[in-house]
């Protein structure tokens, strides 16, 4: 069966600054959070690989852009590394060497007919701001971020027409302060919620700054909502799913798209002493500066059930008091990554967005298949025959096209990632790229089978999929 891909449907790929750049040219005092985490807990990063060299994109970006052109990518999303963009974070003194690198990358992409999409923060909070202000705990950092955003818009907004304020803004504080599984392992639920709030406010401040400049373009945010499914039709299981959605999805969707927080979330935060006590003027900024569009990162479903046990009242508040994870028997797994494969999540997310947030434009900004030991799939010519990645992408795009046909405002699909790149802790253990990165001194690149296939569907605008499931 052949599905036609609309001509304006984005087929791109994504990555981030810290996961590709490496430290070449980085000046003293320009560490980001991932840099500091790596330096303090190198032992948790697979085989010791981290952001120090990464894919050496700082020096080899042109090689990657040339490969993007060969494949035919329509768009490429990456980030500006906030920690490297300044030599003085409070007086906003730009590091002209790094700013020129961003200029060079943007210009190279445009020359290759690949539209750049830039994100202002992909976990790259400067360590300086963490040490002086405790990062997003401080309202001061919100204003410094807004100043950074304005400078970035002024420098690149003539060429970059699509911007994102954050990538997955909920993730760092969830891993560090809610679950305490990442350095520096501080369990502090009140700080978790304060960081959520300050990032929503910072995003609104950036939106305000962007619109004040009158630039031709649009600004959104990349969120990573988990499409959550209740174990059963019972009201208890359904409530568990609703509570997960409230604390992990709507905590950003509501202020960023609707301009307000739900009364239920505020009531629960107040009840459990994790309320962020917003200033009324700041709430007005959030209300008046909602997003133009959304980036949605989707990898796996979240399945929950009603909790079986009473919450331990001597432990800090955690949303898990309202739900338990549900392990669906027989689910399809990516055993390398430990994630369930369920392509219908993108279709269900399309309906979730339409039902709850109207026709706001959106696109998949990350979706991909990480596989361990890809060397085992190499042929005699050294090409990785990653048919598993092709099948994974194909199934997800098929569901997206179905959603578009039914009226979804989805604008496209961006693969994570263009090249293999460093992931938090996993480093290069699981490979995600269309392009393979050898861990040699030259960080040698080579296209995988999926790169040729992806290029073919971009060129032909046709997706060949299996016929409807036959019973057997």
């Amino acid at each position: 069966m052949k599905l036609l891909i609309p001509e304006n449907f984005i087929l791109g790929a994504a990555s981030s600054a810290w996961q590709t750049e490496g430290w070449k040219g980085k000046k003293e005092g320009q560490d980001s959070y991932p840099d500091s985490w790596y330096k303090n807990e190198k032992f948790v990063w697979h085989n010791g690989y981290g952001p120090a060299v990464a894919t050496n994109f700082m020096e080899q970006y042109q090689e990657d852009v040339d490969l993007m052109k060969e494949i035919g990518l329509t768009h490429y999303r990456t980030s500006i590394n906030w920690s490297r963009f300044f030599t003085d974070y409070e007086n906003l003194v730009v590091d002209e060497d790094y700013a020129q690198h961003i200029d060079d990358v943007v210009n190279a992409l445009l020359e290759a007919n690949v539209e750049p999409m830039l994100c202002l923060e992909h976990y790259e909070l400067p360590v300086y701001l963490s040490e002086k202000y405790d990062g997003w705990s401080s309202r001061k950092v919100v204003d410094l971020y807004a100043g950074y955003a304005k400078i970035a818009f002024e420098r690149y907004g003539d060429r970059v027409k699509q911007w994102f304020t954050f990538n997955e803004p909920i993730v760092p504080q969830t891993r560090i302060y809610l679950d305490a599984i990442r350095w520096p392992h501080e369990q502090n639920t009140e700080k978790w919620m304060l960081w959520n709030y300050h990032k929503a406010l910072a995003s609104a401040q950036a939106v305000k700054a962007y619109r004040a400049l009158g630039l031709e373009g649009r600004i959104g945010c990349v969120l990573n909502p988990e499409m959550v499914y209740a174990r059963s039709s019972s009201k208890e299981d359904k409530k568990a799913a609703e509570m997960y959605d409230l604390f992990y999805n709507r905590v950003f969707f509501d202020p960023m798209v609707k301009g307000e927080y739900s009364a239920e979330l505020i009531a629960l935060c107040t009840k459990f002493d994790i309320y962020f006590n917003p200033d009324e003027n700041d709430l007005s900024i959030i209300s008046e500066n909602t997003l133009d569009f959304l980036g949605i990162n989707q990898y796996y479903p979240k399945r929950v059930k009603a909790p079986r046990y009473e919450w331990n009242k001597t432990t800090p508040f955690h949303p898990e008091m309202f739900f338990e994870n549900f392990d669906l028997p027989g689910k399809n797994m990516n055993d390398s990554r430990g994630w369930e494969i369920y392509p219908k999540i993108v279709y269900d997310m399309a309906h979730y967005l339409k039902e709850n947030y109207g026709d706001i434009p959106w696109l998949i900004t990350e979706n991909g298949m990480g596989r361990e030991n890809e060397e085992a799939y190499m042929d005699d010519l050294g090409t990785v025959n990653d048919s598993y990645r092709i099948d994974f992408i194909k199934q997800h795009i098929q569901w997206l096209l179905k959603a578009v046909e039914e009226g979804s405002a989805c604008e496209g699909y961006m693969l994570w990632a263009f090249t293999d790149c460093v992931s938090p802790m996993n480093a290069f253990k699981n490979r995600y790229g269309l392009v393979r990165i050898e861990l040699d001194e030259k960080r040698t690149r080579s296209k995988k089978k999926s790169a040729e296939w992806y290029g073919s569907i971009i060129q032909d605008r046709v997706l060949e999929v299996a016929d409807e499931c036959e019973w057997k």
Side-chain angles (χ1 to χ4, degrees):
M1 183 168 61
K2 294 184 178 182
L3 302 177
L4 297 181
I5 302 172
E7 285 299 321
N8 61 349
F9 191 82
I10 291 169
L11 288 169
S15 196
S16 77
W18 79 267
Q19 291 172 278
T20 56
E21 284 177 348
W23 291 349
K24 287 285 179 70
K26 184 160 72 77
K27 298 177 175 64
E28 186 176 351
Q30 288 186 321
D31 279 354
S32 65
Y33 167 73
D35 297 334
S36 185
W37 177 22
Y38 176 63
K39 288 180 178 180
N40 281 277
E41 281 192 341
K42 184 181 177 183
F43 66 92
V44 305
W45 294 69
H46 183 68
N47 289 339
Y49 285 98
V53 180
T55 73
N56 195 29
F57 186 78
M58 284 293 293
E59 296 186 315
Q60 293 176 244
Y61 70 87
Q62 187 62 58
E63 188 176 349
D64 286 348
V65 172
D66 291 344
L67 287 166
M68 292 178 205
K69 184 176 182 179
E70 279 184 36
I71 295 168
L73 288 194
T74 63
H75 294 68
Y76 179 65
R77 176 178 74 92
T78 188
S79 60
I80 300 173
N81 193 327
W82 181 9
S83 68
R84 298 188 66 169
F85 195 68
F86 296 107
T87 55
D88 184 330
Y89 301 103
E90 301 203 63
N91 295 305
L92 303 180
V93 178
V94 174
D95 183 330
E96 294 297 340
D97 294 331
Y98 184 78
Q100 185 60 53
H101 164 71
I102 299 298
D103 261 317
D104 293 342
V105 170
V106 168
N107 291 337
L109 288 166
L110 292 172
E111 179 66 24
N113 202 31
V114 179
E115 182 170 351
M117 306 174 87
L118 288 185
C119 183
L120 292 168
E121 201 259 35
H122 193 124
Y123 313 160
E124 296 117 347
L125 174 70
V127 166
Y128 172 90
L129 298 180
S130 294
E131 292 178 344
K132 182 163 184 179
Y133 297 108
D134 198 22
W136 292 105
S137 300
S138 171
R139 179 65 176 73
K140 172 74 172 177
V141 171
V142 174
D143 291 334
L144 291 174
Y145 167 88
Y148 153 52
K150 182 174 183 291
I151 292 171
F153 299 148
E154 290 172 338
R155 287 200 171 223
Y156 311 113
D158 60 328
R159 287 154 292 156
V160 178
K161 307 300 182 184
Q162 306 208 54
W163 291 87
F164 297 106
T165 57
F166 288 91
N167 175 82
E168 300 183 349
I170 198 171
V171 166
Q173 62 268 24
T174 299
R175 302 289 186 263
I176 300 166
Y177 301 118
L178 185 64
D179 297 329
I181 59 174
R182 290 185 183 174
W183 182 84
H185 309 284
E186 177 188 344
Q187 209 295 321
N188 188 327
T189 313
E190 185 178 6
K191 186 183 288 189
W192 172 69
M193 188 55 72
L194 181 61
W195 277 44
N196 289 338
Y197 166 64
H198 275 159
K199 286 185 178 182
L201 175 59
S203 179
Q205 291 270 47
V207 171
K208 182 179 180 180
Y210 184 76
R211 291 180 180 148
L213 292 171
L215 296 166
E216 292 183 8
R218 62 181 184 169
I219 184 164
C221 185
V222 174
L223 300 177
N224 59 314
E226 291 175 90
M227 193 62 228
V228 57
Y229 300 94
R231 173 188 59 173
S232 76
S233 59
S234 75
K235 68 178 188 298
E236 293 83 5
D237 283 347
K238 286 184 175 179
K239 185 61 178 179
E242 289 171 8
M243 296 301 282
Y244 187 93
D245 186 48
L246 178 68
F247 276 101
Y248 291 98
N249 297 339
R250 291 177 56 196
V251 68
F252 279 103
F253 273 140
D254 287 354
M256 287 184 168
V257 181
K258 292 184 174 180
E260 61 184 10
Y261 287 92
S262 78
E264 183 178 15
L265 182 69
I266 291 172
L268 288 168
C269 288
T270 302
K271 177 180 179 180
F272 293 103
D273 297 321
I274 61 167
Y275 191 45
F276 39 88
N277 296 310
D279 179 273
E280 286 301 320
N281 290 331
D282 287 344
L283 287 180
S284 294
I285 291 171
I286 289 174
S287 175
E288 295 164 6
N289 296 280
T290 53
L291 301 175
D292 295 327
F293 73 123
L294 286 167
I296 300 293
N297 294 351
Q298 289 282 278
Y299 289 96
Y300 51 84
K302 181 69 179 183
R303 302 186 186 276
V304 299
K305 61 184 179 182
R308 292 168 293 171
Y309 309 108
E310 185 177 5
W311 185 255
N312 182 349
K313 294 182 176 61
T314 66
T315 62
F317 170 77
H318 194 294
E320 284 184 356
M321 74 182 298
F322 297 112
F323 66 87
E324 275 187 42
N325 294 326
F326 171 58
D327 187 11
L328 179 68
K331 61 185 181 295
N332 184 21
M333 290 290 291
N334 173 2
D335 293 327
S336 291
R337 194 64 181 87
W339 288 348
E340 181 182 349
I341 299 173
Y342 187 63
K344 189 172 177 282
I345 55 171
V346 295
Y347 174 83
D348 291 338
M349 179 56 65
H351 282 276
Y352 171 92
L353 290 172
K354 191 172 184 65
E355 290 167 10
N356 293 286
Y357 301 101
D359 289 321
I360 184 169
W362 66 281
L363 71 156
I364 292 292
T365 36
E366 282 186 32
N367 173 254
M369 174 68 154
R371 180 56 67 94
E372 192 174 357
N373 298 322
E374 281 200 326
E375 298 80 8
Y377 300 92
M378 275 187 179
D379 62 21
D380 293 340
L381 299 176
T383 300
V384 175
N385 288 297
D386 54 342
S387 57
Y388 43 84
R389 180 166 292 109
I390 294 171
D391 290 341
F392 182 94
I393 299 170
K394 187 184 295 185
Q395 291 167 30
H396 284 81
I397 294 179
Q398 179 179 2
W399 278 109
L400 276 182
L401 293 177
K402 179 176 173 62
V404 170
E405 186 179 353
E406 294 177 4
S408 170
C410 177
E411 297 180 343
Y413 175 92
M414 302 187 79
L415 179 71
W416 185 271
F418 179 66
T419 66
D420 295 336
C421 60
V422 174
S423 295
M425 296 175 67
N426 276 297
F428 287 100
K429 178 183 178 183
N430 293 293
R431 303 302 190 105
Y432 283 88
L434 295 171
V435 173
R436 179 173 170 82
I437 301 285
E438 301 296 341
L439 300 183
D440 54 16
E441 186 176 347
K442 295 182 179 179
R443 290 298 194 262
T444 306
R445 273 88 161 138
S446 62
K447 290 189 290 186
K448 302 175 189 177
K449 181 180 178 181
S450 59
E452 302 292 351
W453 172 82
Y454 202 55
S456 73
I457 68 166
I458 294 171
Q459 174 67 33
D460 300 336
R461 314 305 293 184
V462 172
L463 185 73
E464 292 193 26
V465 297
D467 289 335
E468 293 297 323
C469 180
E470 66 173 296
W471 305 106
K472 57 184 180 182

